[in-house]
Amino acid sequence: MKILVGLSGGVDSAVAAYLLKAQGHEVACAFMRNWDSSLNNDILGNPNLNNVICPQESDYNDALITAEALGLPLYRVDFIKEYWDEVFTTFLKEYDQGRTPNPDILCNKYIKFNSFINYAQKMGYPYVATGHYAKIRNKDNHFYLAKADDLSKDQSYFLAQIPQSVLSHIIFPLANITKSEVRRIASELNLNIAKKKDSTGICFIGERDFREFLKNYLPAKTGDIINIDNNEVLGQHQGVMYYTIGQRKGLNIGGPGGPWFVVGKDVKQNLLFVAENQENHWLYSDSCLITDVNWLCMLRPLECNVKFRYRQKDHPVIIKYITEDKIMLSYPQMISSVTPGQQAVLYLDDVCLGGGVIMDVYNQGKSLNERLEGATNVSIRKK
RNA sequence: UGGGGUGUAGCCAAGCGGUAAGGCAACAGACUUUGACUCUGUCAUUCCCUGGUUCAAGUCCAGGUACCCCAG
């Protein structure tokens, strides 16, 4: 088979490419460039501004060395404009509205498993492969997305929004092996990136002081931090969009009591609501509305498991179908910090059914905003 | 001005004559292809100041000083 492998300059995609070649496929590699710090005005909090070589280019060099070591051709393709238009614009719009988007899920949906697949087909490669830890299962010519064997690295969560139609064109060579085996293979091949640290942070942008990064695009706007239990002002925030539900760090609320966690925000009034201690009822919900559901198979169960964030354990939920792409999930056991803007991904055993955006969260029938408004109707007290 | 109380880290706060607990915050590291959570580590040679008693003082004594409360 002719396969184009997305080579990132990391170990995972390198070993993925090697495995496919070893299996006798006709393999070529492509390096995607999706972020340009200077083009995208990425200045504040950018640790690499003064570096001679930016991390994207250094990854490209690693990809070059890897491709050469494996004896594979390497293409280079830019999706900088696509990334900005389809991923980053929505990302910023969501933050601006006080929500917490998941850019990497959008990146997979629009870039890696759309633009990149189109590119591959144009180049004459009907199949693409990546170093994702996930599995494509073919049952009677129906293709399913499933969790990787290495559950501790499983990345199916990030793939829940990819078009169902592309599943039959994807190969995940790391589906059945563990991270440590990947590292072992890389060192046996003497690949220079065998010990390279796993990349974290927003894909293509990297690990950053997140608030400083956002300040490049969403200017700071200070306002009150309010204790939702008594409407007392506890401090000042730098802009509600810089914080997310369940966040503890960066609030700068010292003194008695605590720790404090973000439980909600009022974008219009520029208020950040916090509550004391992790068990606080304000953090919990018992149901949520999911929109933009992307289905990856025909299964529509009434109960399944859900992850509300990457690496979270599976939570059993009950599904109520509203429309084809809108569902209500309920979980009477209560779950903490289900965050609007993030992705809910549905699983039945290890099969990923699909996922959608958390639109709103509820507790005993009341939405988070209704609850917050009820609690803050009384006037806010200055300390 | 009289009477009472309190001054220990950025913030709360233990300590009661034997060599400065703990929490919050902050910072650093680990974990992690989002944002987070979590975990681990660091953070007062010094207790408002000055004297004194004592082998030994944050702790006792004297004076000063700052803040708080009640009187006026």
Side-chain angles (χ1 to χ4, degrees), chain A residues 128-173:
Chain A
V128 300
T130 65
H132 282 100
Y133 289 86
K135 195 183 285 179
I136 302 285
R137 191 174 287 150
N138 182 354
K139 223 179 202 175
D140 309 325
N141 232 24
H142 284 95
F143 292 85
Y144 297 88
L145 177 68
K147 293 179 184 175
D149 281 356
D150 186 344
L151 288 175
S152 69
K153 291 302 292 184
D154 170 53
Q155 290 168 324
S156 59
Y157 177 85
F158 289 106
L159 301 168
Q161 279 287 341
I162 67 175
Q164 196 274 335
S165 58
V166 304
L167 291 180
S168 55
H169 298 275
I170 302 174
I171 295 163
F172 291 134

Side-chain angles (χ1 to χ4, degrees), chain A residues 284-328:
Chain A
Y284 285 83
S285 59
D286 61 15
S287 58
C288 62
L289 177 66
I290 310 298
T291 62
D292 302 283
V293 179
N294 178 59
W295 293 104
L296 290 170
C297 65
M298 297 307 287
L299 298 169
R300 297 291 185 276
L302 295 175
E303 293 177 19
C304 71
N305 290 319
V306 166
K307 285 187 199 299
F308 290 107
R309 45 171 54 66
Y310 177 53
R311 286 171 67 85
Q312 183 182 54
K313 68 165 189 177
D314 287 13
H315 287 101
V317 296
I318 299 159
I319 309 177
K320 192 177 140 194
Y321 294 87
I322 301 169
T323 62
E324 175 62 10
D325 66 349
K326 190 187 278 189
I327 58 179
M328 187 71 93

Side-chain angles (χ1 to χ4, degrees), chain A residues 39 100 185:
Chain A
L39 218 59
T100 309
I185 293 169

Side-chain angles (χ1 to χ4, degrees), chain A residues 5-38:
Chain A
V5 181
L7 201 65
S8 68
V11 252
D12 294 332
S13 55
V15 170
Y18 163 77
L19 291 173
L20 292 176
K21 187 191 178 193
Q23 287 162 19
H25 296 292
E26 187 181 338
V27 178
C29 303
F31 178 86
M32 284 175 252
R33 175 124 199 241
N34 299 331
W35 187 254
D36 184 307
S37 294
S38 53

Side-chain angles (χ1 to χ4, degrees), chain A residues 10-269:
Chain A
V11 252
D12 294 332
S13 55
V15 170
Y18 163 77
L19 291 173
L20 292 176
K21 187 191 178 193
Q23 287 162 19
H25 296 292
E26 187 181 338
V27 178
C29 303
F31 178 86
M32 284 175 252
R33 175 124 199 241
N34 299 331
W35 187 254
D36 184 307
S37 294
S38 53
L39 218 59
N40 294 345
N41 195 34
D42 173 17
I43 315 280
L44 293 173
N46 189 335
N48 307 299
L49 263 191
N50 300 319
N51 294 7
V52 186
I53 182 161
C54 71
Q56 290 92 348
E57 286 308 308
S58 135
D59 284 340
Y60 177 63
N61 281 340
D62 287 337
L64 263 180
I65 297 170
T66 301
E68 193 161 331
L70 297 176
L72 298 171
L74 177 68
Y75 303 106
R76 172 172 162 139
V77 53
D78 273 21
F79 293 121
I80 292 172
K81 184 178 184 328
E82 288 86 345
Y83 189 86
W84 183 273
D85 291 346
E86 292 171 307
V87 177
F88 208 65
T89 307
T90 344
F91 170 83
L92 291 180
K93 204 175 85 194
E94 285 284 277
Y95 265 114
D96 201 41
Q97 292 171 3
R99 298 152 58 84
T100 309
N102 189 322
D104 289 1
I105 284 184
L106 296 174
C107 176
N108 285 329
K109 174 179 183 170
Y110 293 110
I111 308 298
K112 290 178 185 162
F113 296 99
N114 189 345
S115 300
F116 181 63
I117 292 208
N118 291 337
Y119 168 81
Q121 303 201 326
K122 215 178 297 169
M123 299 287 284
Y125 295 88
Y127 294 96
V128 300
T130 65
H132 282 100
Y133 289 86
K135 195 183 285 179
I136 302 285
R137 191 174 287 150
N138 182 354
K139 223 179 202 175
D140 309 325
N141 232 24
H142 284 95
F143 292 85
Y144 297 88
L145 177 68
K147 293 179 184 175
D149 281 356
D150 186 344
L151 288 175
S152 69
K153 291 302 292 184
D154 170 53
Q155 290 168 324
S156 59
Y157 177 85
F158 289 106
L159 301 168
Q161 279 287 341
I162 67 175
Q164 196 274 335
S165 58
V166 304
L167 291 180
S168 55
H169 298 275
I170 302 174
I171 295 163
F172 291 134
L174 306 186
N176 306 302
I177 62 179
T178 63
K179 181 77 190 194
S180 48
E181 288 174 88
V182 168
R183 291 258 180 219
R184 202 201 65 226
I185 293 169
S187 22
E188 278 170 8
L189 294 171
N190 279 320
L191 294 179
N192 68 319
I193 40 79
K195 288 182 179 168
K196 184 173 172 180
K197 195 179 175 337
D198 288 0
S199 67
T200 56
I202 300 174
C203 79
F204 301 116
I205 299 177
E207 191 146 26
R208 302 285 294 276
D209 179 328
F210 198 71
R211 193 182 301 166
E212 289 300 305
F213 172 69
L214 279 184
K215 281 181 184 170
N216 287 303
Y217 312 98
L218 303 168
K221 191 181 170 194
T222 58
D224 291 335
I225 299 180
I226 292 168
N227 178 356
I228 192 64
D229 280 314
N230 63 11
N231 290 332
E232 197 170 27
V233 176
L234 292 178
Q236 298 292 300
H237 68 253
Q238 300 181 33
V240 289
M241 57 285 189
Y242 302 145
Y243 305 83
T244 188
I245 307 296
Q247 180 168 344
R248 168 178 179 171
K249 292 289 173 184
L251 295 171
N252 247 301
I253 306 173
W260 299 88
F261 294 87
V262 174
V263 298
K265 13 177 146 172
D266 182 329
V267 178
K268 277 187 190 155
Q269 295 192 72

